Amino acid sequence: PEIFLKQVSLYGSQRVALRYKSNDQWQEYLWSDYFSFVQKISAALVKLGLNSSDKVCLVSRNCPEWLCIYMAVQSLGCHLVPIYPNSTAEQFQYIVKHSEAKILFVENQEQLIKTENWRNTLPDLTKTILIFGEDPPDVLPYAGLLLMGADAGPHFLQDQVDKLSADSPAGIIYTSGTTGPPKGVILTQKNLIFVARSFLTRFHDIYEEETISFLPLSHIAEQLLTVIAGTIVADKISFAQSIETVREDLLQVRPTLFL
């Protein structure tokens, strides 16, 4: 998060950070837009009672909202726990319950349906947030979350990040569970920065590249390339519409860095 804020200060409204396709047109978020979303989400999560070291689960395809939520949660010193979108309802429930998640972000109605039988029964889960689509009464819409955090002071996010250290939480990655139920691996800020900088040391001429994100962000490899390394070197990140459209998206984006 500290590196993120430095890039926001450096690029602000002068450079595109994130791109996504909507209605056959590529839409762009500047670094200043990226910062605005992250700060609003962070402030809203604090209002919802999120405290340092709490867990937040996220199930969604790759999209700008994924990165904004990721950065907001880390800025508060909390664990982001990603879940693969193709998880069954049982797998989904297991991770949310086992991680003792306090907040759950779901992408759409397809994912929300998987939570119908259990989201109001888990003792640790206090709020479910729907990123896209119409929400039932017990679910908070993403737009409502942004509105909730819109009154944050200009230095709110910086103040939160100033409290972090190298040993602050970065997230929990659940294993595939081939020898039993999935097991959570706790990561710190130090873990992620070490691996990302090792990669960038090997490829020292990478900076301000154009990349495309299509591998699941739930996997640590895509997180390291797209979020961590991408933040360090100020990449312009475009999000593929789906795995089926990657070839088409590649031709349009023409990335200079590709995993």
Side-chain angles (χ1 to χ4, degrees):
E2 182 180 356
I3 297 172
F4 167 73
L5 290 179
K6 288 180 179 178
Q7 300 296 41
V8 169
S9 177
L10 178 62
Y11 294 104
S13 60
Q14 304 302 312
R15 179 173 169 78
V16 173
L18 310 172
R19 298 174 75 231
Y20 67 101
K21 203 168 188 181
S22 177
N23 298 323
D24 294 324
Q25 297 292 324
W26 286 98
Q27 310 296 325
E28 300 179 339
Y29 289 140
L30 303 173
W31 279 92
S32 54
D33 299 321
Y34 193 1
F35 167 81
S36 178
F37 288 129
V38 172
Q39 176 155 270
K40 288 176 182 177
I41 296 167
S42 298
L45 290 176
V46 169
K47 287 184 177 180
L48 289 174
L50 200 67
N51 298 307
S52 177
S53 297
D54 280 343
K55 288 85 174 179
V56 176
C57 282
L58 167 61
V59 56
S60 173
R61 61 182 170 83
N62 296 16
C63 58
E65 290 78 8
W66 206 108
L67 265 66
C68 292
I69 294 165
Y70 179 98
M71 197 63 68
V73 170
Q74 286 200 11
S75 296
L76 296 175
C78 297
H79 295 275
L80 192 284
V81 186
I83 300 173
Y84 285 95
N86 63 353
S87 298
T88 65
E90 291 74 21
Q91 293 168 331
F92 194 167
Q93 179 186 15
Y94 174 83
I95 293 176
V96 175
K97 182 178 181 179
H98 186 267
S99 66
E100 300 177 339
K102 196 169 188 177
I103 303 288
L104 169 62
F105 284 89
V106 297
E107 177 188 356
N108 52 27
Q109 290 292 334
E110 178 186 354
Q111 300 299 339
L112 188 62
I113 288 172
K114 298 177 185 178
T115 73
E116 283 183 341
N117 295 328
W118 52 263
R119 69 172 179 263
N120 293 319
T121 67
L122 301 183
D124 297 301
L125 187 62
T126 61
K127 184 60 68 175
T128 299
I129 300 163
L130 181 65
I131 301 173
F132 304 111
E134 295 188 11
D135 53 293
D138 65 321
V139 173
L140 177 66
Y142 183 74
L145 183 79
L146 295 178
L147 186 61
M148 186 185 298
D151 61 352
H155 304 296
F156 174 84
L157 194 63
Q158 182 68 66
D159 291 342
Q160 302 304 312
V161 172
D162 287 344
K163 301 173 186 176
L164 304 180
S165 70
D167 293 316
S168 292
I172 300 175
I173 299 292
Y174 274 78
T175 66
S176 59
T178 53
T179 57
K183 300 174 180 62
V185 178
I186 297 176
L187 301 174
T188 65
Q189 295 292 328
K190 181 166 53 180
N191 297 145
L192 298 185
I193 294 298
F194 173 80
V195 176
R197 284 184 170 163
S198 297
F199 169 79
L200 294 171
T201 300
R202 175 65 180 83
F203 301 99
H204 56 83
D205 56 343
I206 292 176
Y207 199 74
E208 294 185 351
E209 304 290 345
E210 177 114 12
T211 68
I212 187 165
S213 176
F214 71 97
L215 296 174
L217 277 163
S218 303
H219 195 285
I220 188 60
E222 183 70 4
Q223 286 183 41
L224 286 168
L225 180 68
T226 298
V227 190
I228 312 305
T231 300
I232 293 173
V233 300
D235 283 343
K236 181 192 297 184
I237 302 165
S238 297
F239 293 89
Q241 302 167 80
S242 68
I243 197 68
E244 290 79 15
T245 66
V246 168
R247 185 173 185 275
E248 172 191 341
D249 295 332
L250 282 170
L251 290 172
Q252 295 177 8
V253 173
R254 297 187 179 278
T256 56
L257 180 64
F258 182 67
L259 176 61

